[in-house]
Amino acid sequence: MQIFNTMTRQKEEFVPQKEGEYRIYVCGPTVYNYIHIGNARPMIVFDTLRRYLEYCGNKVYYVSNITDIDDKLIKKGQEEGTSMQEVARKFEAEYIRDSDGLNVKAPTVRPRATEHIGEIIHIVKDLVDSGHAYVARNGDVYFRVKSDPGYGKLSHLNLDDLESGNRELRSRMDDDLKEDPADFAVWKAAKPGEPYWESPWGHGRPGWHIECSAMARKHLGKTIDLHAGGQDLIFPHHENEIAQSECANGCTFSRYWMHNGFLNINNEKMSKSANNFFTVREIADKYGYEPIRYFMLTAGYRMPLNYTVELIESCKNSLERMYTCRDNLDFAIEHAHGTDTALVEKCEDARKKFKAAMDDDLNTPDALAAIFDLVKDINTLSDASDKATLETAAKAFDELTGVLGLLYNRKKTDSIPAEVTALVEERAAAKKAKDWGRADAIRAQLTEMGWSVTDTAQGPKLAKL
């Protein structure tokens, strides 16, 4: 499989350190509110990557964190008269509910920042002792950016070019605690009323970037295979993670980097001020979670993606085509009477096209196209196919949609109420007797009961509405 490595700005073969095992870290949310639609993109994209790697027979250690200590969390707790921890636990639960709704697999580990304070302090101490960080007079600890000659290699920003901007920034700094404006906090001294932990530098709490360095190191090791997240995290978050991790660990932090593109709303940047800010929950309540997942897969993950009502409705319609095809396939298997096996070869073609697309930097649009080619073949050939061939088609269909995390809301129609079965039989008898009025009345009655009935060459087909 080839992926686009943000570090090198080119596609590279994605080779893990240990054959058959991938160690992946994906930045999770700061849980101070419901997640917005933009947050859902990296969740779905990198869950799909994980599913594909596992489909190909690999073991994936997948870590995605919870940031439960942050200025926004502290502020929200103060505003609500509760605590940072109560706010964090509430919205962590809401985040997991949305994540489950989007069919995102639970991470191998979902670490919380507040549960890794010891690991964070250990890294900060190493940085201070080695001269890569220093303690300011108020107890803040800052990373000394100029101590890292490789700083800027992920974002491809030149520190010399930043100097001119830093000089202007320095002139506006009221309290010059830093040696250089580019330096960033790895530990913050606690302000009155804020939560804090004991440290060698007094009461304080972690800086934002240091959390991920500590959690990645603890759960995946000093060098991981892949670090991923949204494009907005490249600088400063991921750049700073690299600097502090590599200076503390003395080795490469992550061998590959993947970043998904931005999400716009009606061709505009999403923001509360523009009144185009939507949470996942708001959209899911209206359209369901699955169309959101499908929508995120309709464009290459590195490309900008534009959300509109028309597009989400189109995604819902595309999913209905998939569900209808799969339900028809079940019906065809149950009433198989053909002898043709041509569909077997079509299934293999679909698998090959799907795999070629996914191996090409997670090309989910082409992967979806391969599935819809299979849908067309199933719809065309199933009536003439034998049972074994139809079962092969069902297996291929389930495999490919499963890799994309789709079709997870299939309704179970195994248990049809006796009353419904009796009405279907009565309707068939009415049609045989050419009592069309009675047949139509029974169809209407079945609809009211939540069932649709379709007449086919193999007999009436029932489906739950």
Side-chain angles (χ1 to χ4, degrees):
M1 180 183 193
Q2 289 211 325
I3 61 170
F4 184 88
N5 187 354
T6 309
M7 181 70 76
T8 60
R9 290 185 172 181
Q10 62 185 14
K11 286 184 185 179
E12 298 177 6
E13 195 68 26
F14 187 21
V15 182
Q17 298 168 86
K18 184 177 179 181
E19 186 177 357
E21 290 187 7
Y22 288 84
R23 309 182 82 80
I24 298 174
Y25 188 94
V26 178
C27 286
T30 301
V31 284
Y32 71 98
N33 211 329
Y34 293 96
I35 58 170
H36 59 71
I37 185 67
N39 297 139
R41 193 175 192 189
M43 292 165 60
I44 292 165
V45 164
F46 300 117
D47 173 71
T48 303
L49 172 66
R50 173 192 184 175
R51 288 171 177 270
Y52 181 63
L53 291 172
E54 290 175 340
Y55 171 70
C56 293
N58 301 289
K59 186 172 182 61
V60 180
Y61 296 94
Y62 192 93
V63 176
S64 186
N65 69 296
I66 296 288
T67 294
D68 57 349
I69 169 70
D70 179 85
D71 290 338
K72 293 175 182 176
L73 277 159
I74 294 170
K75 182 180 178 183
K76 186 134 189 169
Q78 292 170 342
E79 289 173 350
E80 295 183 354
T82 58
S83 68
M84 179 194 75
Q85 186 179 43
E86 288 178 89
V87 172
R89 294 297 169 266
K90 173 187 174 181
F91 287 108
E92 179 183 333
E94 297 295 353
Y95 158 67
I96 291 172
R97 177 181 166 189
D98 285 335
S99 183
D100 290 345
L102 294 168
N103 199 28
V104 172
K105 294 180 68 173
T108 311
V109 183
R110 185 182 276 130
R112 296 174 178 144
T114 56
E115 294 172 350
H116 294 74
I117 300 299
E119 289 84 358
I120 291 168
I121 289 174
H122 183 70
I123 293 179
V124 174
K125 190 174 184 304
D126 285 347
L127 291 171
V128 171
D129 291 346
S130 62
H132 288 293
Y134 58 92
V135 184
R137 62 178 178 273
N138 70 335
D140 287 350
V141 182
Y142 291 98
F143 182 85
R144 187 175 277 118
V145 167
K146 283 186 176 177
S147 73
D148 178 17
Y151 190 81
K153 61 186 176 183
L154 179 69
S155 56
H156 303 279
L157 294 172
N158 189 310
L159 195 55
D160 292 336
D161 294 337
L162 294 174
E163 289 284 326
S164 58
N166 286 343
R167 281 195 294 272
E168 182 182 349
L169 179 62
R170 183 185 290 280
S171 69
R172 300 198 306 267
M173 291 172 69
D174 297 326
D175 186 7
D176 196 358
L177 295 170
K178 302 180 186 180
E179 293 178 357
D180 188 285
D183 295 347
F184 58 89
V186 290
W187 187 262
K188 294 182 178 182
K191 296 174 183 176
E194 288 186 350
Y196 64 82
W197 287 264
E198 297 285 350
S199 81
W201 317 284
H203 296 168
R205 58 186 176 89
W208 173 35
H209 315 297
I210 199 73
E211 300 169 5
C212 291
S213 290
M215 290 184 277
R217 185 166 85 171
K218 178 175 180 180
H219 298 288
L220 295 173
K222 290 183 177 181
T223 299
I224 64 178
D225 292 310
L226 171 69
H227 199 312
Q231 187 178 326
D232 57 311
L233 298 180
I234 295 174
F235 186 88
H237 184 50
H238 288 167
E239 193 71 71
N240 291 353
E241 275 190 69
I242 293 171
Q244 65 202 10
S245 293
E246 295 190 351
C247 288
N249 299 336
C251 57
T252 298
F253 176 42
S254 181
R255 300 174 72 240
Y256 301 89
W257 292 83
M258 291 177 77
H259 294 91
N260 63 272
F262 290 113
L263 182 78
N264 293 322
I265 307 292
N266 295 318
N267 292 311
E268 292 183 358
K269 184 178 179 181
M270 183 171 60
S271 69
K272 290 182 179 177
S273 60
N275 200 30
N276 65 352
F277 185 92
F278 298 107
T279 67
V280 167
R281 188 70 54 84
E282 288 171 329
I283 296 172
D285 285 346
K286 190 168 185 179
Y287 300 102
Y289 282 103
E290 193 170 10
I292 299 173
R293 183 173 185 109
Y294 186 99
F295 168 69
M296 296 298 178
L297 302 176
T298 57
Y301 74 92
R302 290 190 288 121
M303 302 297 293
L305 187 56
N306 186 51
Y307 173 87
T308 65
V309 168
E310 292 77 16
L311 280 174
I312 204 73
E313 288 178 343
S314 174
C315 291
K316 192 171 183 180
N317 292 335
S318 295
L319 282 166
E320 287 176 3
R321 283 181 60 201
M322 284 186 174
Y323 276 104
T324 298
C325 175
R326 189 61 183 83
D327 290 343
N328 288 343
L329 194 50
D330 275 346
F331 183 78
I333 291 170
E334 186 179 349
H335 299 88
H337 61 281
T339 58
D340 191 68
T341 60
L343 193 51
V344 172
E345 186 176 343
K346 298 292 186 182
C347 291
E348 285 308 304
D349 288 343
R351 281 193 178 100
K352 288 175 184 176
K353 290 177 184 175
F354 182 89
K355 191 172 188 306
M358 297 294 278
D359 280 343
D360 182 17
D361 196 28
L362 204 69
N363 187 340
T364 53
D366 282 1
L368 283 168
I371 291 175
F372 275 105
D373 285 345
L374 181 58
V375 167
K376 183 179 178 181
D377 291 330
I378 289 171
N379 291 340
T380 303
L381 301 172
S382 61
D383 188 53
S385 298
D386 63 26
K387 186 172 184 177
T389 295
L390 292 168
E391 288 172 341
T392 297
K395 181 181 178 184
F397 191 88
D398 291 345
E399 277 181 19
L400 303 188
T401 54
V403 172
L404 299 185
L406 300 174
L407 266 64
Y408 55 95
N409 289 311
R410 289 190 66 210
K411 294 173 182 176
K412 304 299 181 184
T413 57
D414 300 336
S415 178
I416 300 173
E419 182 184 5
V420 172
T421 302
L423 284 170
V424 171
E425 291 173 353
E426 184 182 345
R427 179 176 174 275
K431 289 190 67 177
K432 189 173 182 179
K434 297 186 178 181
D435 186 351
W436 311 119
R438 178 59 185 152
D440 288 345
I442 293 172
R443 180 195 287 273
Q445 187 178 351
L446 286 166
T447 300
E448 288 180 10
M449 296 169 68
W451 293 86
S452 70
V453 59
T454 305
D455 296 313
T456 74
Q458 293 77 42
K461 178 190 170 187
L462 270 175
K464 197 82 173 67
L465 293 173

